Amino acid sequence: MTTENQTKLFHDSLKRCQDTPLFFEKFYARFLSQSVEIQRKFEGVDMARQIRMLKASLNMVMLASQPGIDPEFYLGSVAKRHSSGDLDIAPPLYDLWLNALMQTVEEMDPKFSKEVHQAWLGIMSTGIQYMRCCY
Ligand code: HEM
């Protein structure tokens, strides 16, 4: 279960990352370099818009991870969009997504620590588990 301390560590780290120029560009460059399947999914996608969407949705993932919250409330439409009937994002792709994100946080957050790492994993795993379930 996500604790208040984890949420604060995640929130503050996310803010530092968002304040670092090119954080999201670096994340997508890393993520796309991992497989041709991922590159195909993003063919023709407006990446400036995609970055704005991802920025907003990381806060939704944080809200969805709070104790007593049904993740559907915050992530229902995002999960439906990624499901087999729409973007068709297969569950294993979320491991690559999370790895690329964590490597980018480690590289870009000047206050990165073991605790910050654990906080990101804790918050993200609730959202990812929910997204995978909706596939
Ligand atoms: C928890 C993890 C993820 C979150 C929070 C997330 C969030 C989002 C959001 C908010 C959008 C915009 C949706 C819209 O325009 O309606 C989006 C689009 C998209 N996402 Fe994800 N995503 C995640 C994981 C992934 C993964 C693993 C992939 C694998 C390739 C992926 C591929 C895409 C693609 C291809 C689009 C569509 C871009 C477009 O056509 O405009 N996402 N994502």
Side-chain angles (χ1 to χ4, degrees), residues 31 41-42 49-50 53 57 81-82 87 89 94 97:
F31 183 43
K41 292 282 180 201
F42 285 97
R49 175 182 182 277
Q50 181 63 16
M53 299 306 246
S57 67
R81 175 87 170 107
H82 289 70
L87 289 169
I89 304 301
Y94 287 91
W97 187 93

Side-chain angles (χ1 to χ4, degrees), residues 28 31 37-38 41-42 45-46 49-50 53-54 57-58 61 75 78 81-82 87 89-90 93-94 97 124 127-128 131:
Y28 275 116
F31 183 43
E37 185 187 2
I38 296 171
K41 292 282 180 201
F42 285 97
V45 169
D46 173 349
R49 175 182 182 277
Q50 181 63 16
M53 299 306 246
L54 180 64
S57 67
L58 289 179
V61 174
L75 294 176
V78 180
R81 175 87 170 107
H82 289 70
L87 289 169
I89 304 301
L93 291 178
Y94 287 91
W97 187 93
M124 284 298 140
I128 287 178
M131 304 266 288

Side-chain angles (χ1 to χ4, degrees), residues 3-124:
T3 64
E4 189 54 31
N5 188 45
Q6 265 185 321
T7 303
K8 182 170 170 27
L9 281 170
F10 169 84
H11 176 270
D12 294 354
S13 171
L14 177 60
K15 167 98 177 62
R16 289 190 296 274
C17 289
Q18 287 182 334
D19 288 348
T20 309
L22 303 181
F23 173 79
F24 288 99
E25 286 80 356
K26 287 200 176 186
F27 158 67
Y28 275 116
R30 185 172 261 137
F31 183 43
L32 267 76
S33 74
Q34 291 184 349
S35 90
V36 176
E37 185 187 2
I38 296 171
Q39 286 160 27
R40 280 210 203 99
K41 292 282 180 201
F42 285 97
E43 262 168 23
V45 169
D46 173 349
M47 291 311 283
R49 175 182 182 277
Q50 181 63 16
I51 285 171
R52 287 196 297 276
M53 299 306 246
L54 180 64
K55 249 185 201 173
S57 67
L58 289 179
N59 287 304
M60 304 302 265
V61 174
M62 181 182 80
L63 293 171
S65 77
Q66 297 307 292
I69 295 292
D70 180 351
E72 185 188 358
F73 186 74
Y74 292 108
L75 294 176
S77 60
V78 180
K80 199 163 172 235
R81 175 87 170 107
H82 289 70
S83 69
S84 53
D86 197 342
L87 289 169
D88 191 17
I89 304 301
L93 291 178
Y94 287 91
D95 290 330
L96 301 177
W97 187 93
L98 187 59
N99 280 342
L101 185 64
M102 291 317 304
Q103 282 174 28
T104 314
V105 173
E106 184 167 0
E107 183 195 341
M108 308 292 270
D109 179 359
K111 292 190 180 169
F112 188 81
S113 66
K114 217 174 91 194
E115 290 71 29
V116 168
H117 179 79
Q118 285 308 322
W120 275 82
L121 287 186
I123 300 264
M124 284 298 140

